[in-house]
Amino acid sequence: MSEESHHKISLAIEQLENALSLFLDGRSHVSALTLAGAAEEILGMAVKINGVENSLQELYRIYNDPGLTWINPPKTWAEFTTKSKNKARNAVKHVSGKYDLTFEADIEDEALWMIVRAVDNYNRLGFGPTELMHEFDDWFFENVVGI
């Protein structure tokens, strides 16, 4: 084997495609979560570098809208990301000690919404949808929206 140059966006897209495949086939929601999480982070940073609000930033802005404080107690960026939106993704990747070996989450649901964020960032970069993204959209409309 030998070292070669790799484009991080291309690798993130590959991770996202694998996450979509694993999720749609129901093979491994935890793997779909971690792969989509990695893709979401790289694609989200690329969106941000391009001077555009990424998916997570938009969710944070909407959550902290002053008109919604009656239902959404204000949160800092760190609280919103680490204790809410990325909590399950981080939990399946890290252990901080002997008392941190379990956590509560709906892994399928967490994978679903991480994929949604990753695909949203992919779209914000101007890429066209892939076959798996079309398949995911169909699944989403049938199983989440109820159409």
mmCIF file of all heavy atoms in Angstrom, residues 60 63-65 68-76 79-80:
data_model
loop_
_atom_site.group_PDB
_atom_site.id
_atom_site.type_symbol
_atom_site.label_atom_id
_atom_site.label_comp_id
_atom_site.label_asym_id
_atom_site.label_seq_id
_atom_site.Cartn_x
_atom_site.Cartn_y
_atom_site.Cartn_z
ATOM 1 N N TYR A 60 -29.918 25.778 14.855
ATOM 2 C CA TYR A 60 -29.625 26.553 16.061
ATOM 3 C C TYR A 60 -30.284 27.928 15.997
ATOM 4 O O TYR A 60 -30.881 28.388 16.971
ATOM 5 C CB TYR A 60 -28.113 26.689 16.229
ATOM 6 C CG TYR A 60 -27.702 27.476 17.451
ATOM 7 C CD1 TYR A 60 -27.908 26.972 18.733
ATOM 8 C CD2 TYR A 60 -27.091 28.727 17.326
ATOM 9 C CE1 TYR A 60 -27.523 27.682 19.855
ATOM 10 C CE2 TYR A 60 -26.712 29.448 18.448
ATOM 11 C CZ TYR A 60 -26.925 28.923 19.709
ATOM 12 O OH TYR A 60 -26.553 29.634 20.820
ATOM 13 N N TYR A 63 -34.004 27.427 16.481
ATOM 14 C CA TYR A 63 -34.282 27.046 17.872
ATOM 15 C C TYR A 63 -34.238 28.261 18.794
ATOM 16 O O TYR A 63 -35.063 28.418 19.679
ATOM 17 C CB TYR A 63 -33.285 25.988 18.348
ATOM 18 C CG TYR A 63 -33.497 25.594 19.796
ATOM 19 C CD1 TYR A 63 -34.358 24.556 20.119
ATOM 20 C CD2 TYR A 63 -32.866 26.287 20.824
ATOM 21 C CE1 TYR A 63 -34.589 24.203 21.438
ATOM 22 C CE2 TYR A 63 -33.095 25.944 22.146
ATOM 23 C CZ TYR A 63 -33.949 24.908 22.448
ATOM 24 O OH TYR A 63 -34.182 24.570 23.759
ATOM 25 N N ASN A 64 -33.231 29.115 18.609
ATOM 26 C CA ASN A 64 -33.043 30.273 19.480
ATOM 27 C C ASN A 64 -33.779 31.520 19.015
ATOM 28 O O ASN A 64 -33.510 32.617 19.512
ATOM 29 C CB ASN A 64 -31.555 30.583 19.642
ATOM 30 C CG ASN A 64 -30.912 29.707 20.692
ATOM 31 O OD1 ASN A 64 -31.547 29.305 21.658
ATOM 32 N ND2 ASN A 64 -29.645 29.403 20.508
ATOM 33 N N ASP A 65 -34.715 31.374 18.105
ATOM 34 C CA ASP A 65 -35.508 32.524 17.667
ATOM 35 C C ASP A 65 -36.190 33.147 18.887
ATOM 36 O O ASP A 65 -36.839 32.431 19.656
ATOM 37 C CB ASP A 65 -36.559 32.072 16.643
ATOM 38 C CG ASP A 65 -37.353 33.236 16.090
ATOM 39 O OD1 ASP A 65 -38.246 33.728 16.811
ATOM 40 O OD2 ASP A 65 -37.075 33.642 14.952
ATOM 41 N N LEU A 68 -39.658 32.148 19.933
ATOM 42 C CA LEU A 68 -39.925 30.769 20.354
ATOM 43 C C LEU A 68 -39.429 30.444 21.755
ATOM 44 O O LEU A 68 -39.446 29.281 22.158
ATOM 45 C CB LEU A 68 -39.295 29.793 19.349
ATOM 46 C CG LEU A 68 -39.818 29.866 17.922
ATOM 47 C CD1 LEU A 68 -39.054 28.916 17.016
ATOM 48 C CD2 LEU A 68 -41.303 29.554 17.884
ATOM 49 N N THR A 69 -38.988 31.457 22.503
ATOM 50 C CA THR A 69 -38.444 31.188 23.835
ATOM 51 C C THR A 69 -39.474 30.579 24.779
ATOM 52 O O THR A 69 -39.108 29.910 25.739
ATOM 53 C CB THR A 69 -37.851 32.460 24.482
ATOM 54 O OG1 THR A 69 -38.864 33.472 24.510
ATOM 55 C CG2 THR A 69 -36.637 32.941 23.720
ATOM 56 N N TRP A 70 -40.742 30.750 24.501
ATOM 57 C CA TRP A 70 -41.774 30.165 25.357
ATOM 58 C C TRP A 70 -41.825 28.650 25.241
ATOM 59 O O TRP A 70 -42.317 27.962 26.150
ATOM 60 C CB TRP A 70 -43.139 30.793 25.044
ATOM 61 C CG TRP A 70 -43.632 30.540 23.644
ATOM 62 C CD1 TRP A 70 -43.259 31.197 22.509
ATOM 63 C CD2 TRP A 70 -44.573 29.565 23.241
ATOM 64 N NE1 TRP A 70 -43.898 30.682 21.411
ATOM 65 C CE2 TRP A 70 -44.730 29.679 21.835
ATOM 66 C CE3 TRP A 70 -45.325 28.598 23.919
ATOM 67 C CZ2 TRP A 70 -45.586 28.861 21.101
ATOM 68 C CZ3 TRP A 70 -46.178 27.797 23.169
ATOM 69 C CH2 TRP A 70 -46.299 27.931 21.787
ATOM 70 N N ILE A 71 -41.294 28.082 24.143
ATOM 71 C CA ILE A 71 -41.237 26.622 24.016
ATOM 72 C C ILE A 71 -39.808 26.094 23.968
ATOM 73 O O ILE A 71 -39.574 24.921 24.213
ATOM 74 C CB ILE A 71 -42.015 26.106 22.771
ATOM 75 C CG1 ILE A 71 -41.516 26.768 21.493
ATOM 76 C CG2 ILE A 71 -43.497 26.274 22.949
ATOM 77 C CD1 ILE A 71 -42.073 26.166 20.224
ATOM 78 N N ASN A 72 -38.841 26.953 23.617
ATOM 79 C CA ASN A 72 -37.435 26.551 23.530
ATOM 80 C C ASN A 72 -36.604 27.392 24.486
ATOM 81 O O ASN A 72 -36.298 28.545 24.184
ATOM 82 C CB ASN A 72 -36.890 26.763 22.113
ATOM 83 C CG ASN A 72 -37.524 25.874 21.085
ATOM 84 O OD1 ASN A 72 -38.028 24.812 21.404
ATOM 85 N ND2 ASN A 72 -37.505 26.299 19.846
ATOM 86 N N PRO A 73 -36.230 26.837 25.636
ATOM 87 C CA PRO A 73 -35.362 27.622 26.522
ATOM 88 C C PRO A 73 -34.037 27.896 25.809
ATOM 89 O O PRO A 73 -33.483 26.995 25.175
ATOM 90 C CB PRO A 73 -35.172 26.727 27.740
ATOM 91 C CG PRO A 73 -35.560 25.362 27.300
ATOM 92 C CD PRO A 73 -36.504 25.509 26.151
ATOM 93 N N PRO A 74 -33.544 29.126 25.862
ATOM 94 C CA PRO A 74 -32.306 29.452 25.142
ATOM 95 C C PRO A 74 -31.161 28.524 25.531
ATOM 96 O O PRO A 74 -31.024 28.128 26.688
ATOM 97 C CB PRO A 74 -32.022 30.898 25.576
ATOM 98 C CG PRO A 74 -33.340 31.431 26.008
ATOM 99 C CD PRO A 74 -34.087 30.268 26.586
ATOM 100 N N LYS A 75 -30.369 28.156 24.539
ATOM 101 C CA LYS A 75 -29.202 27.301 24.752
ATOM 102 C C LYS A 75 -27.999 27.935 24.076
ATOM 103 O O LYS A 75 -28.132 28.582 23.038
ATOM 104 C CB LYS A 75 -29.423 25.911 24.141
ATOM 105 C CG LYS A 75 -30.449 25.071 24.839
ATOM 106 C CD LYS A 75 -30.539 23.677 24.218
ATOM 107 C CE LYS A 75 -31.576 22.843 24.942
ATOM 108 N NZ LYS A 75 -31.640 21.488 24.396
ATOM 109 N N THR A 76 -26.827 27.675 24.644
ATOM 110 C CA THR A 76 -25.592 28.083 23.983
ATOM 111 C C THR A 76 -25.342 27.118 22.826
ATOM 112 O O THR A 76 -25.947 26.038 22.751
ATOM 113 C CB THR A 76 -24.391 28.026 24.938
ATOM 114 O OG1 THR A 76 -24.181 26.653 25.318
ATOM 115 C CG2 THR A 76 -24.616 28.904 26.171
ATOM 116 N N GLU A 79 -24.271 23.746 24.237
ATOM 117 C CA GLU A 79 -25.405 22.978 24.771
ATOM 118 C C GLU A 79 -26.237 22.392 23.646
ATOM 119 O O GLU A 79 -26.653 21.231 23.703
ATOM 120 C CB GLU A 79 -26.306 23.869 25.629
ATOM 121 C CG GLU A 79 -25.693 24.311 26.935
ATOM 122 C CD GLU A 79 -26.519 25.371 27.629
ATOM 123 O OE1 GLU A 79 -27.169 26.191 26.949
ATOM 124 O OE2 GLU A 79 -26.505 25.384 28.867
ATOM 125 N N PHE A 80 -26.494 23.192 22.631
ATOM 126 C CA PHE A 80 -27.320 22.754 21.511
ATOM 127 C C PHE A 80 -26.669 21.606 20.749
ATOM 128 O O PHE A 80 -27.336 20.643 20.380
ATOM 129 C CB PHE A 80 -27.583 23.938 20.576
ATOM 130 C CG PHE A 80 -28.527 23.637 19.449
ATOM 131 C CD1 PHE A 80 -29.898 23.547 19.677
ATOM 132 C CD2 PHE A 80 -28.066 23.454 18.158
ATOM 133 C CE1 PHE A 80 -30.781 23.276 18.647
ATOM 134 C CE2 PHE A 80 -28.933 23.182 17.117
ATOM 135 C CZ PHE A 80 -30.294 23.094 17.363
#
